[in-house]
Amino acid sequence: MRIRIEGSGMDRDADAGVGLTALFADWLAQDRSVGPYTEIRRVRTATGDGGMSGDLIGWLDLALSSGFSVASLVYAHQTFRASLPPRQRSAARLVVEHGNSRIVIEDGSPEDAARIARALAAPDLGTPPTISSSPAGGGTPPGGEPDDGS
């Protein structure tokens, strides 16, 4: 599973999202409900502009153990986001990719955790669906079943 922090307000400064992703990696490593159950690898972003800098962290690759809880990841993102300055807090979103699925988490509801769990359980087939949370939540994700709250 790959994750990163991105934000609409941070688009002008690409390094801001990279910095937040690196900070979130440290946050996860220290979180007792996530860190012991994951192996966190920092993935460098490929340079597309001919630049030489390959040290920027674009994604985190999480190798999950059997004790991993998706709800813990969503809660860790909520608490990390709450610790940010207000301008960054409102823009910071957790992006989770696994196989052909991409999930964008904004508020971190139980439905968001269920979406991630379904993506982790689904086989890799076809074109990647994008499943985005919204403050209203709920609904039917593309190609999925309606959320039943579980």
Side-chain angles (χ1 to χ4, degrees):
M1 175 170 71
R2 289 184 348 153
I3 66 171
R4 72 176 174 173
I5 303 294
E6 71 176 22
S8 59
M10 293 181 270
D11 291 342
R12 287 182 223 120
D13 184 6
D15 291 343
V18 169
L20 287 177
T21 299
L23 288 172
F24 190 55
D26 296 338
W27 187 278
L28 289 177
Q30 294 175 18
D31 187 317
R32 287 183 272 158
S33 64
V34 177
Y37 306 104
T38 62
E39 178 185 327
I40 302 170
R41 290 183 301 270
R42 297 166 192 237
V43 180
R44 292 181 178 163
T45 302
T47 57
D49 62 358
M52 299 296 286
S53 176
D55 294 330
L56 298 178
I57 303 194
W59 290 90
L60 302 175
D61 187 24
L62 300 184
L64 312 173
S65 75
S66 61
F68 176 75
S69 167
V70 172
S72 296
L73 175 64
V74 171
Y75 181 72
H77 173 253
Q78 280 182 318
T79 54
F80 173 75
R81 185 177 173 176
S83 74
L84 297 172
R87 189 176 129 230
Q88 288 180 320
R89 181 181 317 141
S90 62
R93 297 183 305 258
L94 175 66
V95 178
V96 178
E97 288 186 349
H98 178 71
N100 291 327
S101 295
R102 176 183 166 93
I103 302 109
V104 179
I105 307 295
E106 293 183 22
D107 295 327
S109 68
E111 292 81 17
D112 292 330
R115 286 184 192 100
I116 296 171
R118 282 194 298 272
L120 290 174
D124 291 342
L125 299 173
T127 306
T130 297
I131 304 170
S132 180
S133 71
S134 64
T140 303
E145 295 295 320
D147 287 337
D148 60 3
S150 60

